Amino acid sequence: MAEPSRDPPDRDRTRTEPLVARTANHVGRLLPLALVPLATALLRVRDLLAVSRADGLSVRASFPVYRYDVWNFLEAPREGGLSVSLPFGTPEPLPLLVPLIGAYVLVSGVLSAGYFGCIADGVTTGQFDFVANIRRFGARTVMLEALVVLALAAAFLPLVIVPPLFVAAILAALVLSYLYFPTVYVLVLEDRDIKSALGRARDLVDQHRPIGFFLSVAVVTALCSVPLSLVARTSPVGALLATVVAAPLGLAFNAATALKVAEMAGVETVE
């Protein structure tokens, strides 16, 4: 367990502070969780080396749909110069490597259980236990991860046959991401099953219409991606430095989204 202070935390009943200030209040106590986005980013060593050898800069905007790491701010370029990436990346042919995909879903889902569970605990109680949250949410987040992979496959695999559907697939993914982005957060904040979390997420979006928040996150991540890409493209050391900097930055975006969803759901948070 990690406690933020010796004094009992004050409940943020009125939520009058700006979201940025509230996020800053929480990131310090949540900082150990930055090891998760750092670890997931370092799994792509080959891409980090490719970025370090690239010229120019990249601009990448990411919506608040899941767990942030450096790859929400950077993209391994195919060519030199300026590259602009959509929030969902570019579709590639899905290799028939079911065991590899299954391993990814399992590892990522387990990490998400500890990560998002601890963020939820941190913003609502001021303390968290990573292992306990894996035990509590692990099965559900692994299943949610599998559903996301299947949904992406259903959306983008037809592009292999009919490439002109690319724009339609991107728009569909964008709309679905907006409608259901609170899912993993309400799952851990309110301890819901997947079906209930999906329904609750859709209800919250319909009720509160957080389009401003959704788009603002994309704009801010795009702005952050510029200096990170400039640093990452200087050398392998620069790429590693950008990865380290992006880890707590990604944590801050996830914490901000958790606070926003908690506010929408009427879940009390602490200072």
Side-chain angles (χ1 to χ4, degrees):
M1 293 287 187
E3 297 186 3
S5 67
R6 296 179 181 177
D7 300 322
D10 295 327
R11 291 288 175 180
D12 182 16
R13 297 181 185 276
T14 59
R15 298 181 176 89
T16 56
E17 277 191 295
L19 182 60
V20 173
R22 291 163 53 207
T23 301
N25 291 338
H26 287 284
V27 167
R29 74 167 66 95
L30 296 173
L31 197 56
L33 298 177
L35 291 174
V36 173
L38 179 61
T40 58
L42 292 176
L43 291 175
R44 296 174 57 178
V45 175
R46 186 176 301 176
D47 286 338
L48 279 176
L49 291 175
V51 168
S52 70
R53 293 191 292 264
D55 297 322
L57 60 88
S58 66
V59 180
R60 184 179 180 95
S62 294
F63 294 111
V65 292
Y66 206 54
R67 191 180 57 234
Y68 281 88
D69 62 19
V70 73
W71 301 112
N72 293 96
F73 306 99
L74 301 181
E75 182 183 22
R78 292 181 175 85
E79 298 177 358
L82 175 67
S83 66
V84 179
S85 175
L86 292 168
F88 305 97
T90 54
E92 297 179 1
L94 183 65
L96 299 177
L97 298 176
V98 175
L100 182 60
I101 296 172
Y104 164 79
V105 168
L106 179 62
V107 173
S108 182
V110 168
L111 287 175
S112 292
Y115 182 70
F116 286 110
C118 287
I119 289 176
D121 286 347
V123 302
T124 57
T125 69
Q127 55 188 9
F128 55 85
D129 185 323
F130 195 86
V131 175
N133 278 300
I134 289 177
R135 292 172 179 165
R136 184 179 182 184
F137 299 113
R140 281 174 278 178
T141 53
V142 169
M143 290 178 62
L144 182 61
E145 195 94 24
L147 285 175
V148 171
V149 170
L150 290 174
L152 289 174
F156 290 108
L157 279 180
L159 300 180
V160 177
I161 303 172
V162 189
L165 291 177
F166 174 75
V167 174
I170 289 294
L171 291 176
L174 176 59
V175 171
L176 289 174
S177 296
Y178 169 66
L179 293 176
Y180 293 101
F181 82 88
T183 299
V184 70
Y185 296 97
V186 294
L187 187 151
V188 293
L189 284 166
E190 299 182 335
D191 198 4
R192 293 175 176 267
D193 59 37
I194 294 176
K195 182 179 179 180
S196 174
L198 286 167
R200 175 66 163 159
R202 178 62 189 274
D203 289 342
L204 289 175
V205 171
D206 287 345
Q207 180 181 354
H208 295 276
R209 303 189 185 280
I211 186 67
F213 171 79
F214 192 76
L215 296 177
S216 295
V217 170
V219 171
V220 176
T221 54
L223 293 174
C224 292
S225 73
V226 175
L228 284 173
S229 71
L230 289 173
V231 172
R233 294 178 181 224
T234 57
S235 66
V237 174
L240 181 60
L241 177 60
T243 302
V244 172
V245 171
L249 185 60
L251 172 63
F253 279 106
N254 283 129
T257 306
L259 288 167
K260 179 63 177 179
V261 173
E263 179 181 335
M264 292 163 57
V267 175
E268 286 188 345
T269 58
V270 298
E271 288 288 350

